[in-house]
Amino acid sequence: MTVAAIADAALAAIRDVGVEGLTMRGVAERLGVRAPTLYHHVRNKAELLDLVARNAFDEFASDEAAYDDLRSIDEWIALTRTGSLEFRAFYADHPGLAALMQAKVTPDRDQGAGSRALLVRVQIESLVRLGVPEPQARHLFEATSRWGLAAVVADSTITADLFTEGLDLFLAGLRARLIELTT
């Protein structure tokens, strides 16, 4: 049993029953093992939720490579827009996960392990490569990430059109700030 398999099983359970309905027994059943076997790898639900938070974004690995190839602020904005829309859909499919992720947001979260840290790291590094000083790149990434999470958590019934309009307004302001920082 691998960490990835446990995280995948937990995400599948969250998709079906939400974060609130997630149980160690349910994840064990999805893995085809008994709960004590799962407890050998993950001590409790809190640790399981930490594992999910670290590894929930494995499916977004292609975004990591795309951020490496960016050449302009406009490309960063376009990729961030696309990624934000994908994240909204991902969170909509996993009830309660956005609130969990928001609760686990920490400064320097790119320093950890797992797909979440890697995705954060490449996004911040891409801003630095585009000429944004590292402290501001970190700050602007955090503002962008937290806005997206807050918009999803605030109202899970928000329409895709309303989310997209808010995202576009936010990104227009962010683009102006990025251009100001890099010129």
Side-chain angles (χ1 to χ4, degrees), residues 40-101:
H40 177 72
H41 298 278
V42 182
R43 286 181 283 180
N44 52 39
K45 184 176 177 180
E47 191 173 295
L48 179 63
L49 291 172
D50 286 343
L51 177 70
V52 168
R54 279 193 315 274
N55 296 287
F57 301 110
D58 289 348
E59 69 185 66
F60 296 99
S62 63
D63 289 355
E64 296 163 14
Y67 277 99
D68 284 340
D69 295 334
L70 294 179
R71 301 289 175 244
S72 71
I73 296 297
D74 286 334
E75 288 178 8
W76 192 91
I77 292 293
L79 185 56
T80 298
R81 181 183 190 277
T82 300
S84 295
L85 294 172
E86 290 171 357
F87 282 129
R88 181 193 178 277
F90 177 76
Y91 286 130
D93 287 344
H94 296 85
L97 185 60
L100 170 68
M101 297 306 288

Side-chain angles (χ1 to χ4, degrees), residues 102-159:
Q102 189 173 41
K104 304 243 179 239
V105 169
T106 60
D108 301 321
R109 60 188 154 139
D110 59 310
Q111 303 303 310
S115 57
R116 175 181 177 214
L118 183 57
L119 188 54
V120 170
R121 191 165 36 252
V122 299
Q123 290 179 62
I124 293 169
E125 289 170 355
S126 67
L127 285 172
V128 172
R129 275 194 322 280
L130 292 172
V132 178
E134 196 269 340
Q136 286 88 357
R138 235 174 231 297
H139 177 78
L140 292 173
F141 167 80
E142 287 298 332
T144 304
S145 175
R146 290 179 191 225
W147 179 88
L149 277 172
V152 172
V153 172
D155 186 359
S156 60
T157 63
I158 190 171
T159 65

